[in-house]
Amino acid sequence: MENGSLDSHLFKAKSLLTWGTRYKIVCGLAAALMYLHEEWEQCVLHRDIKSSNVMLDSNFNAKLGDFGLAKLVDHEKGSHTTLLAGTLGYMAPECVVTGKATKRSDIFSFGVVALEIACGRKPIEYLAPEKQIRLVQWVWELYGTGTLLEAVDPHLGSDFEEEEIKRLMILGLWCVHPDSDFRPSMRQAIQVLNSEASVPVLPSKMPVASYVSSPISSSYSDASIIRTQSSSSNKFDKGRS
């Protein structure tokens, strides 16, 4: 892969990715996940989707790499209970507690990468201002106040399509919804990326989750979720896309 990994461009100044290239990359990653989840004879759960595993060829086409943690499951089952695996910051919260990987946990990781592409930020930045340490929470707060553009990667300057970048960030938030039942499928995500469906209306505040300690998650206690507690006013129509 002539252009290395996505993270080397976003975080290591290998080169500045233009907005058009970034949107191309996220669409390519979405297509790869669609194939893995829906279009092969079995469903492939990658379980470690992150920007360092997105490889770029000479034309900046995205290729999803590193299948060392991947699992095959039957389409009708769509889940696999196993030992905890993945990378902190990209792991779906329910995986931390149960160790169960599903299509929806891959979609959570895809959502984190989508936000990284738009914002030029890692999922966790310990040296950032307090409200910006965790990318997902920060972007969701900006969504709720109608100031999403404040999260745009400053390296882009004004060289981006406003509607596209807002669409990508809202899609990213949809994919990282704490309640896995409210995340989109990859088919729905691609429809949004291709402007074939509108973005969902999300809660203005990130749904509150209950955190508990767990033997599985002792080293990830700040990411452990047993269930999501969202009031009815914070729920949105699962059928919307």
Side-chain angles (χ1 to χ4, degrees), residues 50-100:
K50 54 185 177 181
S51 53
S52 61
N53 283 341
V54 178
M55 309 305 294
L56 306 172
D57 69 12
S58 58
N59 294 315
F60 288 94
N61 295 304
K63 312 288 183 180
L64 182 58
D66 193 352
F67 282 74
L69 297 178
K71 295 290 182 182
L72 288 173
V73 298
D74 293 334
H75 284 290
E76 60 269 21
K77 293 181 180 178
S79 64
H80 185 89
T81 302
T82 183
L83 296 176
L84 182 66
T87 302
L88 186 63
Y90 298 91
M91 294 172 60
E94 68 274 9
C95 288
V96 177
V97 174
T98 67
K100 181 180 289 187

Tab-separated table of all heavy atoms in Angstrom, residues 50-100:
chain	number	residue	atom	x	y	z
A	50	LYS	N	-9.881	0.527	12.858
A	50	LYS	CA	-9.269	1.755	13.362
A	50	LYS	C	-8.459	2.368	12.238
A	50	LYS	O	-8.178	1.713	11.227
A	50	LYS	CB	-8.385	1.471	14.580
A	50	LYS	CG	-7.318	0.409	14.363
A	50	LYS	CD	-6.584	0.110	15.667
A	50	LYS	CE	-5.550	-1.000	15.482
A	50	LYS	NZ	-4.849	-1.317	16.754
A	51	SER	N	-8.097	3.621	12.388
A	51	SER	CA	-7.442	4.338	11.288
A	51	SER	C	-6.095	3.728	10.914
A	51	SER	O	-5.682	3.789	9.748
A	51	SER	CB	-7.277	5.821	11.640
A	51	SER	OG	-6.617	5.981	12.883
A	52	SER	N	-5.409	3.096	11.855
A	52	SER	CA	-4.117	2.482	11.520
A	52	SER	C	-4.281	1.189	10.732
A	52	SER	O	-3.312	0.679	10.161
A	52	SER	CB	-3.302	2.216	12.795
A	52	SER	OG	-3.987	1.334	13.658
A	53	ASN	N	-5.504	0.647	10.688
A	53	ASN	CA	-5.767	-0.553	9.888
A	53	ASN	C	-6.435	-0.238	8.555
A	53	ASN	O	-6.827	-1.152	7.834
A	53	ASN	CB	-6.634	-1.537	10.682
A	53	ASN	CG	-5.840	-2.286	11.731
A	53	ASN	OD1	-4.619	-2.358	11.663
A	53	ASN	ND2	-6.529	-2.834	12.724
A	54	VAL	N	-6.591	1.043	8.249
A	54	VAL	CA	-7.110	1.450	6.939
A	54	VAL	C	-5.908	1.821	6.077
A	54	VAL	O	-5.225	2.808	6.339
A	54	VAL	CB	-8.076	2.641	7.063
A	54	VAL	CG1	-8.566	3.081	5.675
A	54	VAL	CG2	-9.260	2.281	7.955
A	55	MET	N	-5.638	1.002	5.076
A	55	MET	CA	-4.478	1.201	4.222
A	55	MET	C	-4.880	1.902	2.929
A	55	MET	O	-6.002	1.734	2.436
A	55	MET	CB	-3.817	-0.145	3.911
A	55	MET	CG	-3.528	-0.993	5.152
A	55	MET	SD	-2.543	-0.133	6.400
A	55	MET	CE	-0.995	0.069	5.516
A	56	LEU	N	-3.939	2.683	2.366
A	56	LEU	CA	-4.228	3.507	1.200
A	56	LEU	C	-3.282	3.158	0.058
A	56	LEU	O	-2.054	3.144	0.238
A	56	LEU	CB	-4.087	4.993	1.557
A	56	LEU	CG	-4.923	5.462	2.764
A	56	LEU	CD1	-4.544	6.887	3.141
A	56	LEU	CD2	-6.404	5.355	2.464
A	57	ASP	N	-3.855	2.881	-1.121
A	57	ASP	CA	-3.008	2.567	-2.269
A	57	ASP	C	-2.512	3.842	-2.934
A	57	ASP	O	-2.678	4.948	-2.394
A	57	ASP	CB	-3.741	1.645	-3.253
A	57	ASP	CG	-4.907	2.313	-3.972
A	57	ASP	OD1	-5.048	3.561	-3.913
A	57	ASP	OD2	-5.693	1.592	-4.611
A	58	SER	N	-1.920	3.721	-4.112
A	58	SER	CA	-1.307	4.882	-4.768
A	58	SER	C	-2.317	5.954	-5.136
A	58	SER	O	-1.964	7.129	-5.286
A	58	SER	CB	-0.546	4.431	-6.028
A	58	SER	OG	-1.424	3.770	-6.924
A	59	ASN	N	-3.592	5.572	-5.279
A	59	ASN	CA	-4.655	6.528	-5.608
A	59	ASN	C	-5.514	6.875	-4.394
A	59	ASN	O	-6.603	7.420	-4.545
A	59	ASN	CB	-5.533	5.963	-6.725
A	59	ASN	CG	-4.783	5.831	-8.040
A	59	ASN	OD1	-4.055	6.742	-8.443
A	59	ASN	ND2	-4.920	4.690	-8.700
A	60	PHE	N	-5.023	6.540	-3.224
A	60	PHE	CA	-5.735	6.792	-1.961
A	60	PHE	C	-7.072	6.063	-1.885
A	60	PHE	O	-8.011	6.529	-1.240
A	60	PHE	CB	-5.918	8.297	-1.729
A	60	PHE	CG	-4.632	8.996	-1.366
A	60	PHE	CD1	-3.858	9.607	-2.342
A	60	PHE	CD2	-4.179	9.020	-0.049
A	60	PHE	CE1	-2.670	10.239	-2.026
A	60	PHE	CE2	-2.987	9.654	0.276
A	60	PHE	CZ	-2.230	10.267	-0.704
A	61	ASN	N	-7.137	4.899	-2.542
A	61	ASN	CA	-8.285	4.027	-2.338
A	61	ASN	C	-8.084	3.282	-1.022
A	61	ASN	O	-6.978	2.818	-0.729
A	61	ASN	CB	-8.420	3.021	-3.481
A	61	ASN	CG	-8.721	3.698	-4.796
A	61	ASN	OD1	-9.696	4.430	-4.920
A	61	ASN	ND2	-7.876	3.472	-5.794
A	62	ALA	N	-9.135	3.184	-0.234
A	62	ALA	CA	-9.027	2.575	1.096
A	62	ALA	C	-9.126	1.061	1.014
A	62	ALA	O	-9.961	0.503	0.303
A	62	ALA	CB	-10.126	3.119	2.004
A	63	LYS	N	-8.253	0.389	1.754
A	63	LYS	CA	-8.258	-1.068	1.886
A	63	LYS	C	-8.218	-1.388	3.377
A	63	LYS	O	-7.330	-0.922	4.090
A	63	LYS	CB	-7.036	-1.696	1.203
A	63	LYS	CG	-6.758	-1.191	-0.204
A	63	LYS	CD	-7.768	-1.693	-1.205
A	63	LYS	CE	-7.402	-1.221	-2.619
A	63	LYS	NZ	-8.388	-1.710	-3.627
A	64	LEU	N	-9.162	-2.165	3.851
A	64	LEU	CA	-9.189	-2.538	5.258
A	64	LEU	C	-8.243	-3.699	5.487
A	64	LEU	O	-8.344	-4.743	4.828
A	64	LEU	CB	-10.612	-2.919	5.678
A	64	LEU	CG	-10.820	-3.291	7.150
A	64	LEU	CD1	-10.389	-2.160	8.069
A	64	LEU	CD2	-12.282	-3.649	7.393
A	65	GLY	N	-7.288	-3.524	6.400
A	65	GLY	CA	-6.288	-4.550	6.653
A	65	GLY	C	-6.349	-5.113	8.052
A	65	GLY	O	-7.210	-4.754	8.855
A	66	ASP	N	-5.409	-6.010	8.350
A	66	ASP	CA	-5.218	-6.638	9.654
A	66	ASP	C	-6.467	-7.382	10.107
A	66	ASP	O	-7.257	-6.880	10.913
A	66	ASP	CB	-4.786	-5.627	10.712
A	66	ASP	CG	-4.288	-6.314	11.976
A	66	ASP	OD1	-4.434	-7.552	12.075
A	66	ASP	OD2	-3.765	-5.637	12.872
A	67	PHE	N	-6.603	-8.618	9.615
A	67	PHE	CA	-7.747	-9.443	9.972
A	67	PHE	C	-7.390	-10.454	11.061
A	67	PHE	O	-8.032	-11.494	11.189
A	67	PHE	CB	-8.285	-10.163	8.729
A	67	PHE	CG	-9.112	-9.275	7.842
A	67	PHE	CD1	-8.512	-8.307	7.053
A	67	PHE	CD2	-10.491	-9.386	7.808
A	67	PHE	CE1	-9.257	-7.476	6.238
A	67	PHE	CE2	-11.254	-8.559	6.998
A	67	PHE	CZ	-10.644	-7.600	6.211
A	68	GLY	N	-6.369	-10.119	11.872
A	68	GLY	CA	-5.916	-11.045	12.895
A	68	GLY	C	-6.944	-11.353	13.965
A	68	GLY	O	-6.899	-12.410	14.599
A	69	LEU	N	-7.882	-10.433	14.195
A	69	LEU	CA	-8.921	-10.641	15.209
A	69	LEU	C	-10.275	-10.984	14.591
A	69	LEU	O	-11.265	-11.150	15.313
A	69	LEU	CB	-9.072	-9.387	16.078
A	69	LEU	CG	-7.852	-8.989	16.916
A	69	LEU	CD1	-8.154	-7.701	17.688
A	69	LEU	CD2	-7.464	-10.102	17.880
A	70	ALA	N	-10.327	-11.097	13.275
A	70	ALA	CA	-11.604	-11.295	12.587
A	70	ALA	C	-12.209	-12.660	12.907
A	70	ALA	O	-11.501	-13.630	13.190
A	70	ALA	CB	-11.416	-11.150	11.081
A	71	LYS	N	-13.553	-12.703	12.887
A	71	LYS	CA	-14.284	-13.938	13.117
A	71	LYS	C	-15.350	-14.114	12.046
A	71	LYS	O	-15.976	-13.153	11.612
A	71	LYS	CB	-14.964	-13.908	14.493
A	71	LYS	CG	-13.998	-13.876	15.682
A	71	LYS	CD	-13.257	-15.196	15.838
A	71	LYS	CE	-12.341	-15.158	17.054
A	71	LYS	NZ	-11.573	-16.420	17.207
A	72	LEU	N	-15.540	-15.370	11.642
A	72	LEU	CA	-16.616	-15.711	10.728
A	72	LEU	C	-17.834	-16.153	11.524
A	72	LEU	O	-17.703	-16.950	12.461
A	72	LEU	CB	-16.199	-16.849	9.796
A	72	LEU	CG	-15.181	-16.541	8.696
A	72	LEU	CD1	-14.771	-17.839	8.002
A	72	LEU	CD2	-15.768	-15.573	7.690
A	73	VAL	N	-18.999	-15.639	11.170
A	73	VAL	CA	-20.243	-16.068	11.805
A	73	VAL	C	-21.299	-16.238	10.730
A	73	VAL	O	-21.206	-15.674	9.641
A	73	VAL	CB	-20.735	-15.056	12.865
A	73	VAL	CG1	-19.722	-14.916	13.995
A	73	VAL	CG2	-21.018	-13.704	12.244
A	74	ASP	N	-22.308	-17.014	11.033
A	74	ASP	CA	-23.411	-17.174	10.096
A	74	ASP	C	-24.220	-15.891	10.044
A	74	ASP	O	-24.392	-15.207	11.053
A	74	ASP	CB	-24.316	-18.334	10.527
A	74	ASP	CG	-23.601	-19.681	10.413
A	74	ASP	OD1	-22.663	-19.790	9.587
A	74	ASP	OD2	-23.976	-20.601	11.154
A	75	HIS	N	-24.751	-15.576	8.886
A	75	HIS	CA	-25.508	-14.339	8.726
A	75	HIS	C	-26.703	-14.271	9.673
A	75	HIS	O	-27.006	-13.223	10.228
A	75	HIS	CB	-25.985	-14.186	7.279
A	75	HIS	CG	-24.901	-13.767	6.344
A	75	HIS	ND1	-24.341	-12.510	6.372
A	75	HIS	CD2	-24.270	-14.439	5.359
A	75	HIS	CE1	-23.410	-12.412	5.435
A	75	HIS	NE2	-23.347	-13.572	4.807
A	76	GLU	N	-27.363	-15.410	9.876
A	76	GLU	CA	-28.560	-15.371	10.714
A	76	GLU	C	-28.224	-15.193	12.186
A	76	GLU	O	-29.057	-14.745	12.973
A	76	GLU	CB	-29.397	-16.644	10.529
A	76	GLU	CG	-28.682	-17.930	10.880
A	76	GLU	CD	-27.976	-18.548	9.677
A	76	GLU	OE1	-27.699	-17.809	8.712
A	76	GLU	OE2	-27.717	-19.766	9.710
A	77	LYS	N	-26.992	-15.503	12.576
A	77	LYS	CA	-26.587	-15.315	13.968
A	77	LYS	C	-26.009	-13.921	14.162
A	77	LYS	O	-26.432	-13.182	15.022
A	77	LYS	CB	-25.568	-16.386	14.369
A	77	LYS	CG	-26.161	-17.795	14.400
A	77	LYS	CD	-25.124	-18.818	14.838
A	77	LYS	CE	-25.714	-20.219	14.871
A	77	LYS	NZ	-24.701	-21.231	15.254
A	78	GLY	N	-25.022	-13.577	13.389
A	78	GLY	CA	-24.494	-12.219	13.411
A	78	GLY	C	-23.749	-11.829	14.664
A	78	GLY	O	-23.488	-10.670	14.895
A	79	SER	N	-23.393	-12.798	15.523
A	79	SER	CA	-22.636	-12.453	16.715
A	79	SER	C	-21.741	-13.620	17.101
A	79	SER	O	-21.917	-14.752	16.659
A	79	SER	CB	-23.570	-12.107	17.878
A	79	SER	OG	-24.332	-13.235	18.234
A	80	HIS	N	-20.766	-13.326	17.933
A	80	HIS	CA	-19.841	-14.360	18.351
A	80	HIS	C	-19.312	-13.976	19.721
A	80	HIS	O	-18.750	-12.905	19.897
A	80	HIS	CB	-18.681	-14.475	17.364
A	80	HIS	CG	-17.744	-15.599	17.674
A	80	HIS	ND1	-17.926	-16.868	17.184
A	80	HIS	CD2	-16.620	-15.641	18.427
A	80	HIS	CE1	-16.944	-17.649	17.617
A	80	HIS	NE2	-16.129	-16.925	18.374
A	81	THR	N	-19.516	-14.851	20.697
A	81	THR	CA	-19.021	-14.579	22.040
A	81	THR	C	-17.594	-15.080	22.153
A	81	THR	O	-17.311	-16.238	21.867
A	81	THR	CB	-19.897	-15.256	23.096
A	81	THR	OG1	-21.237	-14.794	22.949
A	81	THR	CG2	-19.417	-14.928	24.497
A	82	THR	N	-16.711	-14.222	22.564
A	82	THR	CA	-15.294	-14.569	22.605
A	82	THR	C	-14.612	-13.728	23.666
A	82	THR	O	-15.245	-12.975	24.387
A	82	THR	CB	-14.652	-14.337	21.223
A	82	THR	OG1	-13.292	-14.760	21.272
A	82	THR	CG2	-14.722	-12.877	20.822
A	83	LEU	N	-13.321	-13.850	23.770
A	83	LEU	CA	-12.567	-13.024	24.694
A	83	LEU	C	-12.530	-11.587	24.201
A	83	LEU	O	-12.605	-11.328	23.006
A	83	LEU	CB	-11.143	-13.573	24.837
A	83	LEU	CG	-11.008	-14.970	25.460
A	83	LEU	CD1	-9.544	-15.410	25.433
A	83	LEU	CD2	-11.537	-14.973	26.883
A	84	LEU	N	-12.399	-10.656	25.128
A	84	LEU	CA	-12.334	-9.243	24.797
A	84	LEU	C	-11.198	-8.983	23.828
A	84	LEU	O	-10.069	-9.428	24.032
A	84	LEU	CB	-12.117	-8.431	26.074
A	84	LEU	CG	-12.066	-6.912	25.935
A	84	LEU	CD1	-13.426	-6.393	25.495
A	84	LEU	CD2	-11.672	-6.284	27.270
A	85	ALA	N	-11.480	-8.286	22.726
A	85	ALA	CA	-10.466	-7.987	21.722
A	85	ALA	C	-10.797	-6.662	21.056
A	85	ALA	O	-11.959	-6.306	20.899
A	85	ALA	CB	-10.402	-9.102	20.672
A	86	GLY	N	-9.772	-5.936	20.665
A	86	GLY	CA	-9.975	-4.659	20.006
A	86	GLY	C	-9.026	-3.622	20.563
A	86	GLY	O	-8.073	-3.938	21.278
A	87	THR	N	-9.285	-2.364	20.226
A	87	THR	CA	-8.421	-1.263	20.634
A	87	THR	C	-9.227	-0.230	21.403
A	87	THR	O	-10.276	0.210	20.931
A	87	THR	CB	-7.761	-0.614	19.400
A	87	THR	OG1	-7.012	-1.605	18.690
A	87	THR	CG2	-6.819	0.517	19.812
A	88	LEU	N	-8.742	0.154	22.573
A	88	LEU	CA	-9.430	1.142	23.392
A	88	LEU	C	-9.654	2.428	22.595
A	88	LEU	O	-8.761	2.920	21.932
A	88	LEU	CB	-8.597	1.442	24.644
A	88	LEU	CG	-9.242	2.360	25.683
A	88	LEU	CD1	-10.493	1.716	26.247
A	88	LEU	CD2	-8.251	2.677	26.811
A	89	GLY	N	-10.865	2.947	22.689
A	89	GLY	CA	-11.232	4.140	21.938
A	89	GLY	C	-12.057	3.815	20.715
A	89	GLY	O	-12.853	4.636	20.251
A	90	TYR	N	-11.859	2.590	20.196
A	90	TYR	CA	-12.605	2.148	19.009
A	90	TYR	C	-13.598	1.035	19.351
A	90	TYR	O	-14.430	0.683	18.523
A	90	TYR	CB	-11.648	1.611	17.940
A	90	TYR	CG	-10.665	2.629	17.416
A	90	TYR	CD1	-9.418	2.783	18.007
A	90	TYR	CD2	-10.984	3.434	16.320
A	90	TYR	CE1	-8.504	3.710	17.531
A	90	TYR	CE2	-10.074	4.366	15.832
A	90	TYR	CZ	-8.834	4.503	16.439
A	90	TYR	OH	-7.934	5.431	15.971
A	91	MET	N	-13.497	0.478	20.550
A	91	MET	CA	-14.341	-0.648	20.915
A	91	MET	C	-15.732	-0.191	21.334
A	91	MET	O	-15.871	0.755	22.100
A	91	MET	CB	-13.708	-1.430	22.076
A	91	MET	CG	-12.411	-2.115	21.715
A	91	MET	SD	-11.609	-2.818	23.175
A	91	MET	CE	-12.873	-3.950	23.710
A	92	ALA	N	-16.743	-0.874	20.838
A	92	ALA	CA	-18.111	-0.597	21.264
A	92	ALA	C	-18.238	-0.908	22.749
A	92	ALA	O	-17.682	-1.896	23.235
A	92	ALA	CB	-19.093	-1.425	20.456
A	93	PRO	N	-18.969	-0.074	23.498
A	93	PRO	CA	-19.033	-0.264	24.953
A	93	PRO	C	-19.587	-1.606	25.373
A	93	PRO	O	-19.124	-2.179	26.360
A	93	PRO	CB	-19.920	0.895	25.421
A	93	PRO	CG	-20.646	1.362	24.197
A	93	PRO	CD	-19.720	1.120	23.061
A	94	GLU	N	-20.544	-2.133	24.617
A	94	GLU	CA	-21.115	-3.414	25.024
A	94	GLU	C	-20.100	-4.551	24.889
A	94	GLU	O	-20.172	-5.549	25.604
A	94	GLU	CB	-22.390	-3.722	24.222
A	94	GLU	CG	-22.176	-4.005	22.748
A	94	GLU	CD	-22.145	-2.771	21.865
A	94	GLU	OE1	-22.122	-1.643	22.409
A	94	GLU	OE2	-22.139	-2.930	20.624
A	95	CYS	N	-19.136	-4.402	23.978
A	95	CYS	CA	-18.115	-5.433	23.812
A	95	CYS	C	-17.217	-5.521	25.039
A	95	CYS	O	-16.720	-6.593	25.388
A	95	CYS	CB	-17.250	-5.138	22.582
A	95	CYS	SG	-18.083	-5.399	21.024
A	96	VAL	N	-16.991	-4.375	25.667
A	96	VAL	CA	-16.098	-4.339	26.825
A	96	VAL	C	-16.644	-5.214	27.947
A	96	VAL	O	-15.902	-5.898	28.650
A	96	VAL	CB	-15.915	-2.885	27.306
A	96	VAL	CG1	-15.043	-2.830	28.543
A	96	VAL	CG2	-15.294	-2.037	26.200
A	97	VAL	N	-17.960	-5.237	28.091
A	97	VAL	CA	-18.587	-5.997	29.172
A	97	VAL	C	-18.826	-7.444	28.773
A	97	VAL	O	-18.500	-8.374	29.518
A	97	VAL	CB	-19.912	-5.338	29.592
A	97	VAL	CG1	-20.643	-6.205	30.608
A	97	VAL	CG2	-19.647	-3.961	30.161
A	98	THR	N	-19.379	-7.662	27.594
A	98	THR	CA	-19.825	-9.006	27.218
A	98	THR	C	-18.795	-9.799	26.432
A	98	THR	O	-18.863	-11.021	26.382
A	98	THR	CB	-21.104	-8.923	26.364
A	98	THR	OG1	-20.789	-8.306	25.101
A	98	THR	CG2	-22.177	-8.101	27.073
A	99	GLY	N	-17.861	-9.120	25.762
A	99	GLY	CA	-16.938	-9.811	24.878
A	99	GLY	C	-17.585	-10.277	23.597
A	99	GLY	O	-16.974	-10.994	22.805
A	100	LYS	N	-18.834	-9.864	23.365
A	100	LYS	CA	-19.577	-10.316	22.184
A	100	LYS	C	-19.442	-9.304	21.063
A	100	LYS	O	-19.825	-8.143	21.199
A	100	LYS	CB	-21.052	-10.517	22.522
A	100	LYS	CG	-21.887	-11.011	21.344
A	100	LYS	CD	-23.341	-11.205	21.724
A	100	LYS	CE	-23.513	-12.397	22.640
A	100	LYS	NZ	-24.964	-12.683	22.876
